[in-house]
Amino acid sequence: MYAYIARQPIYDDAKALYGYELLFRDGEQNSFPNIDGDEATSRLLTEHHLLVGVEHIAAGKLAFINFSAETLIHHFPTSIDPTTTVIEILETVPISMELLQACKALHSMGYALALDDHDFDAKWDIFLPYTRYLKVDVQQFNLLQISKFIQRIRHHPVTLLAERVETAEQFDKLKLMGFTLFQGYLFARPEMMKHRQLSSNKLNLLELIGEACAEHLDFDRLSSIVERDVALSFKLLRFINNSAYAKEQSIQSLKLAMVYMGEAELKKFIALLALSNLASGEDDARIIQSLVRARFCDQLARLCQFPTDPPTAFLTGLFSKVDELVEMPMAQVLSQLPLPESIRQALSGRSGRLGQFLELIETYEAADWNQAEQKVNQLPATTDLAMLYHDAVQWAQGILHPR
């Protein structure tokens, strides 16, 4: 199952690449689907940002992303680094004091705001003090209309961005009028991109939503639900790592990650999942294998009285196949997750005690009994591998197909 997105480049007046507008797509067709704006925004974030990262989709340049009124009012953009993102507000968004307050708050947090498809209506003037970019569809107005508008707002220090620029003559005239950024078919059409999408088990998602609706969150219960699902676990850590409130620190367990995120941010994350309708109902053999490895490594750590918290062993097994699931190099995946160095070393080079656990289950999966026996003998505790592996398989099947 794949997720789709289009990106259209934005250039400066020297025709140097400045950024990309990211455009939601739900299939191979390079056109916006007939869906609700809230759903499009939430799916763009969950299917692309939380898995791949807008910074990678935009190749390190600024990412311009459309947000609907509801997603702005509920501060969904705060899941993205403000240094990498421009928040676009569509001209169809209904103006309200709630929206204005949300824009003020986002502006104070360092986010750059853009009024998209700006229609010159004076009702938007109250937003100009908090706006960095004005995007004007130059096919909707003649040059005289645009010139008069620019004169009226010249005291506001906004950057003018011309959309739908189709000819070199337009480009030259718009530059003279004060436009410094440009987007349109003169430069490039939207480019389609796709990547493999992780689906979340519907039962897990429903349980997670149910727990999140409680007056007081039960972090033990929430973490037990999330730990069942490699997609939810991966997206949770991606969400934390990109949150505007995140600090430079590693996350030792999923429960700690949730507590660290806090109730408000955690409920936001769950709302994103709910809106984007992640569940596909499909089982993936690699997800089953990840769950088996997570349980196996966790139990092995307990038997060996591993000095660090056992959840680190669980996470090591859980994310051991995530590079295949998202079709990204493991090094790129690890750069996006706030994982301890011991887990990073285990996943990237099979080093350390956690790497030893992974190598053991990999040799067992490959039916290399001699190697498996040698690796068991290197552990500080003896164990019946067959029984441990059988328990892990039964646990994984029970998680995916509860009675």
Side-chain angles (χ1 to χ4, degrees), residues 226 232-240 254 258 261 269:
V226 173
L232 290 178
S233 302
F234 182 75
K235 289 178 180 179
L236 173 62
L237 291 180
R238 279 285 296 137
F239 186 84
I240 296 169
L254 290 173
M258 290 182 177
M261 181 190 289
F269 165 74

Side-chain angles (χ1 to χ4, degrees), residues 75 89 97-111 113 126-127 129-130:
H75 289 193
I89 307 168
M97 286 307 298
E98 278 188 307
L99 179 63
L100 180 61
Q101 291 303 319
C103 290
K104 285 183 179 180
L106 291 166
H107 174 77
S108 69
M109 294 165 62
Y111 287 92
L113 303 182
I126 56 173
F127 288 84
Y130 316 103

Side-chain angles (χ1 to χ4, degrees), residues 19 58 96 129 139-140 161 176 188 205 212 337 346 384:
S96 66
Q139 298 297 325
Q140 287 191 356
L161 192 163
L176 291 173
L205 187 57
L337 298 178
D384 183 340

Side-chain angles (χ1 to χ4, degrees), residues 18-57:
Y18 184 83
Y20 290 95
E21 181 175 6
L22 304 188
L23 308 164
F24 178 75
R25 301 289 185 261
D26 65 355
E28 298 278 2
Q29 293 233 334
N30 196 350
S31 59
F32 187 81
N34 183 26
I35 64 172
D36 177 71
D38 288 346
E39 182 184 352
T41 301
S42 59
R43 286 181 61 182
L44 189 149
L45 292 179
T46 53
E47 294 178 3
H48 301 282
H49 172 55
L50 296 184
L51 284 178
V52 180
V54 297
E55 65 276 13
H56 293 287
I57 297 171

